[in-house]
Amino acid sequence: MASRKKLLATLLTGAVTVGLMAGCGNNSNDSTSSNANANAGASDEKIKLRMIESLTSPNRTKLIQTSIDKFEAANPNIEVEFISPPFDQADNKIRTMLGAKEDIDILEVRDLNVAEMVNNGFVEPLNQYADKWADFGSVTAVAKSVGSVGDKIYFIPNGLYERQLFYRADWFKDLGLTPPKTWDELYETAKKLTDPAKNRFGFSFRGGSGSTGTTDAMILAFNGENVNLEDSMFTKDGASIYSTPEGKAAMELYLKLYKDASPPDSINWGFQEQVQAFTSGVTGMLLQDPDVIQSLTEKMQEGTWATAPLQTGPGGKALLAAGGAGWGIAANSEHKEAAWKLIEFLSSPAENTQFSKDFGLIPVHASAAEDEFFKTGPYKTLLDMSNQPDTFVNYKPAFQYPGNAQWGQVAMESTQALLLGQTNLDDTLKKWDQYWVDEKAKLKK
Amino acid sequence: MKNQRMFILSGLLPALLLVLVFTYYPFFKGIVMAFQEYKLFDLRNVHFVGLDNFKAAFKDPKFLMALKNSGYWVFCSLILQFTFGLILALMMKKQFKGRGIYQGFAFYSWALSGFLIGMIWKWMFNSQIGVINDLLLKFGIIHERIGFLSDPKWAMVSNIVANVWYGVAFFAIMLLAALQSVPSELYEAAEMDGAASWRKLMNVTLPYIMPTIIATTLLRAIWIFNDPSIIYGLTNGGPAGSTHILSSLMLDKIIYGGDYGAASAIGIIMMVILLLYTIFFLTVTKAEKVGDF
């Protein structure tokens, strides 16, 4: 009896051990069998694609899944497994999966990490596929540039983000104000809107995570024509944009904007607080991307808000960068042809335009601008901006520098110290200048 | 006999494997990474750099600030959590109608995730649209809004308040369980000797539950020291890095810098601190025979 129990227990532990190892290990059998039909996209063999997104939000995941369902219906031999990690951990998870050589075919690459992905050899250049794609011609130059590192394109953006001004149309009307065209006007207007006794402030300031969206935008606009558009942290003379008198003037205005026209608490605000303050009637002006349009429409009454183009610097230029994420193919994918087929489908003018409408993005195809939807309402200013490329100049953000990943954090903390009066402006700018000079030296090595 | 040993070993194998793979492998990998340049941006260029990560840490004012904050954070959170937890436990010791439901509500905070607590308090502490400022203004306690999260004077205090709110329930649960085990004869004897309730608390209750008190406070100190979730959700170390503790700074290095080397170095320093603390803990527990509960 006892020995039987013993035998049973031994068997059981054996089973658990094997199960444990199988669970942790790679299912290598699987990949060898799929290896055999890697190039047989047209055969009857069923292909399974694994796709992972990065900018996860429930609404967006649903929209993408709908498109995938359509694709699967049209391509019965391809099955897509769509993985949606929570937004906060998504990029880390994708990195880890790629680093561990897990089977991933399609991944959402972002403008801010594409250089890192390329550097680590995680993503495949898409030029050979895109060249054969009939609709590639209508993809806008901006969208192509967002997805490229050097002369190779690594992801097809699924929509673009671009900053514009959202303002309280009703407050402006009451005070007889017009939307500001320059940063100086923005400051003056914000000051007029500010009344701390009524808990009203002109500007939805963001001093927490993402603060560089304002500081860098102002410094770039003030440096204006002088900025090297391909290497935007530096001027055409090769000095950093933080070392110029224009850069200093921009930051002086920035400090005034915080002290005179923004909620004091906003020194540590991030995206949510910034938007919430605008929708709940604390602030009168907000600089944001089109993805907030949905929540503004939901939370605010029609007619109380409107949009205007981004502000220009003293030289009459506003520098803006379209940002975005999109679909790329993992370098060690075994189903690259099938993966491209799905990317081509998702990036087609019909799918992409619909997705952009539903989620609040700028479509990547030039043909979508003909759509009535983007010609009216809050999107109109974005279109207006792209129709004046001399005033609203596109630049390439410094995504090629490894240090760019940490720049947001470094700049945020020193900006907060500056706003709190713990450091002075000259020291701060010197520190920023040094940061980018060092980065450039490292890149040259 | 040998057979017997083999049998025991095979029985332990699955558990051993689990511990090895999920506890000790990451642990040793972390130690190795602390001496390496290991940046996510440049995984092809991972190499040993000796003590550079540690030297950089001790030169970094942010790290020194976080070290100081960690002490402040653990000390204040612990004392307040314990005090309020004890008061709550003493109040709930007596039978009253609806005690079960009341207990459920009182212990509720312990069931929430720290990150979520950070998010909730972030909105409450908001100086423009937050409920706390609003109430204080309406009751006339303050006349100007306080930047609980934007003023470095207040930011750490706000974090501690949220942490205390979270941790009180833990002490209340543990201490209540201990209180209920105090034999009623002891109180009867004390009453016969004419002890008032304060004397009963100091001379009967507290000495009796002392082992629980020591064990819970010492353990809780480790948890508070290690847990970055509330700070991460509430201020994320801001403004200007004034509210980082070591564990949140470590997270910061990974999430915003992708610098696993620097983060691991901080992790090792934390481990050394905890090791010293554990030695202290074991000495104390030996003296007081903790663990009898």
Side-chain angles (χ1 to χ4, degrees), chain A residues 5-7 9-10 13-14 16-17 20-21 24 88 92 95-96 99 115-122 196 199 201 209 258 263-270 272-273 276-277 280 282 399-403 405-407 409 412-414 416-417 420 422 442, chain B residues 3-4 7 10-15 17-18 21-22 39-45 62 115 119 122-123 125-129 145-152 155 232 234-244 249 252-260:
Chain A
K5 259 192 186 162
K6 231 178 181 179
L7 184 72
T10 315
T13 52
V16 171
T17 312
L20 204 72
M21 295 202 310
C24 301
D88 284 334
N92 260 334
R95 275 190 202 114
T96 318
E116 174 194 324
M117 298 269 182
V118 173
N119 201 31
N120 287 328
F122 287 159
N199 198 23
F201 297 89
S209 130
Y258 172 69
D265 201 38
S266 56
I267 188 170
N268 209 14
W269 281 4
Q272 281 167 324
E273 291 97 333
Q276 182 81 25
S280 63
V282 173
F399 293 135
Q400 75 269 31
Y401 292 93
Q406 215 173 357
W407 170 240
Q409 194 72 2
M412 176 193 92
E413 278 176 12
S414 37
Q416 287 182 337
L420 289 169
Q422 294 170 351
K442 267 190 252 169
Chain B
N3 230 341
Q4 183 77 8
F7 173 69
S10 73
L12 285 175
L13 198 63
L17 260 177
L18 257 181
V21 172
F22 292 106
K39 291 192 173 135
L40 270 188
F41 189 84
D42 210 2
L43 286 177
R44 286 174 175 180
N45 184 25
K62 251 170 92 178
F115 184 68
M119 301 288 281
K122 182 154 105 177
W123 288 115
F125 275 131
N126 189 302
S127 100
Q128 259 68 38
I129 44 182
R145 289 167 186 277
I146 298 174
F148 286 113
L149 302 179
S150 51
D151 188 338
Y232 185 68
L234 193 60
T235 55
N236 198 8
S242 59
T243 56
H244 267 308
L249 184 65
D252 187 78
K253 295 266 182 222
I254 291 176
I255 295 174
Y256 296 101
D259 192 341
Y260 281 71

Side-chain angles (χ1 to χ4, degrees), chain A residues 331-354:
Chain A
N332 64 344
S333 159
E334 280 156 3
H335 309 290
K336 288 185 180 132
E337 289 293 336
W340 173 256
K341 216 170 165 182
L342 175 55
I343 293 179
E344 201 178 288
F345 175 78
L346 292 172
S347 313
S348 65
E351 286 299 318
N352 179 258
T353 308
Q354 191 56 44

Side-chain angles (χ1 to χ4, degrees), chain A residues 33-106:
Chain A
S33 69
S34 56
N35 218 349
N37 56 43
N39 299 320
S43 82
D44 292 321
E45 202 78 40
K46 199 154 180 152
I47 294 176
K48 190 171 176 192
L49 290 179
R50 294 184 85 206
M51 171 167 170
I52 188 163
E53 67 171 325
S54 158
L55 306 174
T56 313
S57 75
N59 191 10
R60 185 177 182 272
T61 304
K62 225 181 345 186
L63 294 171
I64 297 172
Q65 188 62 53
T66 318
S67 293
I68 292 175
D69 291 345
K70 265 194 256 174
F71 175 78
E72 284 180 320
N75 299 276
N77 64 330
I78 302 178
E79 188 192 334
V80 184
E81 184 192 344
F82 187 44
I83 308 164
S84 307
F87 170 70
D88 284 334
Q89 303 141 26
D91 286 335
N92 260 334
K93 173 145 186 154
I94 293 173
R95 275 190 202 114
T96 318
M97 288 174 92
L98 292 170
K101 303 223 176 340
E102 276 194 51
D103 296 334
I104 288 289
D105 300 294
I106 299 176

Side-chain angles (χ1 to χ4, degrees), chain A residues 235-434:
Chain A
T235 64
K236 284 174 180 154
D237 313 326
S240 90
I241 53 170
Y242 305 103
S243 65
T244 62
E246 290 84 5
K248 189 176 172 187
M251 283 307 289
E252 277 164 355
L253 185 69
Y254 176 81
L255 289 175
K256 280 192 341 196
L257 187 60
Y258 172 69
K259 289 207 173 89
D260 302 340
S262 307
D265 201 38
S266 56
I267 188 170
N268 209 14
W269 281 4
F271 172 79
Q272 281 167 324
E273 291 97 333
Q274 181 196 26
V275 176
Q276 182 81 25
F278 184 72
T279 55
S280 63
V282 173
T283 53
M285 287 188 282
L286 168 73
L287 289 170
Q288 259 305 339
D289 295 337
D291 52 335
V292 301
I293 290 175
Q294 267 211 330
S295 71
L296 298 195
T297 316
E298 271 168 31
K299 288 182 188 152
M300 298 170 78
Q301 273 182 348
E302 216 188 309
T304 58
W305 60 281
T307 59
L310 196 67
Q311 282 56 53
T312 60
K317 294 211 185 286
L319 271 70
L320 57 107
W327 308 113
I329 299 180
N332 64 344
S333 159
E334 280 156 3
H335 309 290
K336 288 185 180 132
E337 289 293 336
W340 173 256
K341 216 170 165 182
L342 175 55
I343 293 179
E344 201 178 288
F345 175 78
L346 292 172
S347 313
S348 65
E351 286 299 318
N352 179 258
T353 308
Q354 191 56 44
F355 178 69
S356 305
K357 272 187 203 175
D358 292 340
F359 188 62
L361 294 165
I362 305 165
V364 297
H365 290 280
S367 48
E370 302 303 314
D371 198 308
E372 217 29 58
F373 183 84
F374 296 102
K375 279 189 187 165
T376 53
Y379 290 93
K380 188 180 168 295
T381 38
L382 293 172
L383 221 63
D384 290 348
M385 279 168 26
S386 55
N387 287 335
Q388 304 169 54
D390 288 337
T391 310
F392 301 99
V393 187
N394 261 295
Y395 72 93
K396 183 110 181 146
F399 293 135
Q400 75 269 31
Y401 292 93
N404 191 55
Q406 215 173 357
W407 170 240
Q409 194 72 2
V410 170
M412 176 193 92
E413 278 176 12
S414 37
T415 308
Q416 287 182 337
L418 178 65
L419 292 170
L420 289 169
Q422 294 170 351
T423 48
N424 65 49
L425 182 55
D426 287 323
D427 289 346
T428 307
L429 285 169
K430 230 177 259 163
K431 191 175 155 189
W432 292 358
D433 175 52
Q434 195 57 47

Side-chain angles (χ1 to χ4, degrees), chain B residues 34-248:
Chain B
F35 297 97
Q36 282 178 327
E37 165 147 336
Y38 199 113
K39 291 192 173 135
L40 270 188
F41 189 84
D42 210 2
L43 286 177
R44 286 174 175 180
N45 184 25
V46 171
H47 57 96
F48 282 95
V49 290
L51 289 171
D52 281 7
N53 287 327
F54 292 93
K55 281 183 204 152
F58 280 105
K59 265 191 219 146
D60 184 2
K62 251 170 92 178
F63 172 82
L64 298 173
M65 180 80 158
L67 194 64
K68 203 178 88 193
N69 279 345
S70 285
Y72 181 53
W73 161 255
V74 172
F75 184 75
C76 294
S77 302
L78 191 67
I79 297 252
L80 293 170
Q81 284 181 0
F82 172 75
T83 314
F84 287 112
L86 182 65
I87 294 173
L88 199 62
L90 286 171
M91 288 194 314
M92 281 194 296
K93 204 185 121 198
K94 295 190 198 88
Q95 276 292 345
F96 57 89
K97 215 176 164 190
R99 189 174 78 155
I101 294 175
Y102 185 73
Q103 261 184 21
F105 279 118
F107 295 164
Y108 165 72
S109 64
W110 190 244
L112 293 177
S113 92
F115 184 68
L116 188 66
I117 291 167
M119 301 288 281
I120 295 170
W121 282 87
K122 182 154 105 177
W123 288 115
M124 298 209 292
F125 275 131
N126 189 302
S127 100
Q128 259 68 38
I129 44 182
V131 64
I132 296 177
N133 262 299
D134 205 41
L135 284 177
L136 290 175
L137 274 173
K138 280 192 178 136
F139 284 122
I141 298 167
I142 55 169
H143 298 288
E144 247 175 65
R145 289 167 186 277
I146 298 174
F148 286 113
L149 302 179
S150 51
D151 188 338
K153 277 200 303 258
W154 282 100
M156 202 66 209
V157 176
S158 308
N159 274 309
I160 290 173
V161 168
N163 194 24
V164 168
W165 178 81
Y166 170 56
V168 162
F170 168 77
F171 278 109
I173 297 168
M174 299 307 282
L175 295 177
L176 183 61
L179 284 177
Q180 280 164 345
S181 71
V182 183
S184 54
E185 300 92 73
L186 289 182
Y187 291 113
E188 284 160 20
E191 265 163 44
M192 249 187 272
D193 290 340
S197 33
W198 177 250
R199 284 293 297 271
K200 271 195 280 182
L201 176 70
M202 297 310 284
N203 291 355
V204 179
T205 315
L206 288 185
Y208 196 87
I209 63 169
M210 196 47 87
T212 311
I213 292 179
I214 292 176
T216 49
T217 45
L218 292 181
L219 267 181
R220 187 78 190 113
I222 296 180
W223 293 348
I224 296 176
F225 180 77
N226 274 336
D227 183 14
S229 56
I230 288 181
I231 290 187
Y232 185 68
L234 193 60
T235 55
N236 198 8
S242 59
T243 56
H244 267 308
I245 57 168
L246 289 178
S247 54
S248 69

